[in-house]
Amino acid sequence: MEADQGIGRAVAVRRLAGYGMLAGLLAGLLALPLACTAGVGARDSADWLLSEPVDLDDLQAPQRSQILAADGSLIATFYRQNRVDVPLEKIAPVARQAVLAIEDARFYEHGALDSKGTLRALMTNINNSGESTQGGSGITQQYVKNLLYMNAETEAERLEAVATTPARKLRELRYAIAVERRHSKDEILEKYLNIAYFGDGAYGMEAAARRYFSVPADKLSLNQAATLAGILKNGNAYNARLNGEGARNRRDIVLDRMAELGWITWEKAGQEKKKPLVLDLTETKNGCTESKAAFFCDYVQREILANPIFGESEEERERLLWVGGLKIRTTLDWKTQNAAHKALLRHVPARNKEKKAAAQVLIEPGTGEIKGMDVGRELGPNEEPGKTWINFAADASHGTSVGMAAGSTFKAFTLAAAFDEGMPIGERITAPVAYAPTGFRDCKGKNVSDTTQLRNSSDGEGGRSFSLLTGTWHSVNTFFLKLEKEVGLCDTVKMAKKLGIRRADGKPLQEYASFTLGFNDVSPLRVAAAYAAFGARGKYCEPIAIKQITRTDGKKIKVPSANCEQVIDKGVADAVNHVMSGVLTKGTARGLGLGRPAAGKTGTVDNYSAAWFAGYTPQLASAVWVGDPRGGYSNPMTNVCLPTHCGGPVYGASIPGPIWRDTMVESLRGVKAGGFHRPPSHFFRKGSGEDSVRMPDLRGLKPEAAISRLRAMNMDHRIASAEMHSRYPEGTVAETSPGPGASIDPGDSGVTVVLTISKGPEEHGDDPRPPFDDGGDDPFQFDPPFPRNPFSEPFFTR
């Protein structure tokens, strides 16, 4: 059919010679309305009609945008008009025939307008006092009308685009002439079939085929094609879903018209008309609410709507997203996203009687790419159980959350500041039972001291000496307050800022003595990004969710950069990693290790109003928050009962830690493990060796007593596989490695003491070696023993 109907561009150009005469005739017929509206005569009207509109290149049919995961799979679709543009060859020939038959059978034979039909309609309309009552538009003019309407930005412009007046007809004709000059008939038909409205929110043949019949346009049958062609007369009135009888009647009219033209036989038309109208509806989801990564999707949406890089005004950015036909390739990794979602719901179900919530963000160190983000609820009205519009994982600019106090996760910044000033791991500070932070000044030099006595969780953690290592492992509040005073409050604040920490509400960080205890309200996104910088050996990257945006024409749009920068020395980051690795093996999160090198920090907020865990490996960093959306201070997490924790207060290691561990284990499955770098040697000694700890003499002790003393020194142990004869009673410790008196760096958490058990003296004599005499020194003077509960935390935060 196309070969017989096709018309070459040369023929179209020759036909334009006749437009001048036709334009003069039309101008004469419509002299009055044109003179009133444009103030021009017949000759000027003809010139205007044949001139090309200057805005023709700016007119584009609205397209739907797609947000894609890193692997290219679909996350969500955004559209004001559900449209999928396809080339003409992707539309079934029978569908093209059906549309031409009922809309413009002579399309391939006439130019920008069908002179017979148009003149007949114009004369009829003029005889009706200038009011248009009869149509005559061909495919090209219908395309133009749709295009002008869809690009109208005001109600007045939309009304003008569909006004039934001769002036509107001439405007359409002017654009149609320009379109026919630029494009072949096949190209125009393709554009029309991609812009026309088929009812039920479906624009274009492809979207309509999927909406009504769940097939692509190139698979449409004759019956289906005739149904869609019939809807074109009025997409609302002949909506096949809402008005099946009307749609079927229109289908039959199309079939009869195709038979009249000889494009199908009358017999075939009769057979098709007997068939019932069978629909197979497909709903095209719009927006983030039904996405499997709803809160990540919402984050991307808000990034585009809020970032000036995507347009100067909010209206411009909104139009870009909803009608720009963008392909938005993001950083989301489905394995990570699904692992986070599963872990959150396992520990804090979306609909729990305690009404608690949880949020998690996972970021790749060294790139800033957000690999996963979830809130563990559905995106929707807060009034509905298990739903929320608030993205607790992000800042207010990307999710309306004003943030939450981060607890002891902030202690990492004080630790980093201490290392940045050259303080060794073995530096010791006596932590009192209670401490009133005096002598603190903010970055403006203002005194911000406080007479309030801040305490630890128990008297057992007060009045003792801790190194940077053990003070961090056990998250001792008074230790960190005194450490912050020594390194300087302002230096701690500056370190946090270097690592991207800022308040979720956009306001400046508050600088008080308790800064290290994490009272500032921040988002998990910011904490995860900061900890990712430790994993990347001091390289901080701004969190990014978008990798690439492509327009429909294939051109790329500039996207926000991670702006990665080395903000702290690699050795400083290595020291932080070394110390915080022990939190998972010997500290407040003992037992939450991943079976690969990892580091992290617990955080429990004052009055148990919330709990956190932030941790990382060199490949992935994550921050988890668990709290109450209604306000933690009035709804503390004490005596709550959730699937994996029931009774007692919730600490950082109680629920957030297991969420983090479950997510990380699944996310990193199959990923090669990489270790942290050992810190420079100067971090292990103060220079004189005075900070080293001597190995105590454990010989003759029962194994339980020996192990207890080693644990008090935060040292690992193992029992030798073979026993030995010795002068010590059977069943007691016969020998240790390292031996009694050996010097051990307090920062070396890699030492494992091997205990060999005695078989008792041999018959021929006792072990001649005398017991080790340590001169009466207390081997625990550096790290005194204290009651150890892996889940216990100081009162304010841990």
Side-chain angles (χ1 to χ4, degrees), residues 223 248 251-252 268 270-277:
N223 203 291
R248 179 173 178 174
R251 177 202 68 181
D252 294 349
K268 181 66 174 175
Q271 292 173 351
E272 294 296 322
K273 289 164 64 175
K274 292 179 180 178
K275 295 180 180 179
L277 181 62

Side-chain angles (χ1 to χ4, degrees), residues 162-173:
V162 296
T164 54
T165 63
R168 190 263 292 175
K169 280 289 185 182
L170 280 180
R171 183 186 183 215
E172 284 180 11
L173 178 56

